[in-house]
Amino acid sequence: MHAFENFDDRFSCPNCQGGLPHNDFPQTCDECGFEVEVFLTREDAAEAVVRLEQDCDAITTPPGHVYGLGWVVGHTRLLLI
């Protein structure tokens, strides 16, 4: 986790593009339920995706760079009812 000096309240969820108005991470998207995390480096984000995908029920977004914020990853678990 790091300070988000350039956080913009127009930042959107990497899964559904729903708005994420909070400046603290991780946070959960109100629209789709994905948890959104931010990493300082691409390598950290890629390692997180590998770790998350060890769970066979995990769904992740590819790491995406948001200028001034960092590398963003969204993830959730598949829930079968």
Side-chain angles (χ1 to χ4, degrees), residues 7-69:
F7 181 81
D8 186 333
D9 64 0
R10 294 172 294 170
F11 175 64
S12 60
C13 173
N15 179 57
C16 73
Q17 308 312 309
L20 296 173
H22 309 292
N23 62 356
D24 55 331
F25 289 89
Q27 63 176 286
T28 302
C29 176
D30 291 336
E31 301 293 323
C32 69
F34 270 57
E35 185 168 343
V36 179
E37 296 188 57
V38 178
F39 301 89
L40 286 173
T41 68
R42 178 174 31 183
E43 292 77 18
D44 290 343
E47 287 176 16
V49 168
V50 168
R51 178 180 41 80
L52 290 164
E53 288 182 346
Q54 289 177 353
D55 178 350
C56 63
D57 293 332
I59 301 170
T60 61
T61 64
H65 187 258
V66 175
Y67 181 76
L69 187 61

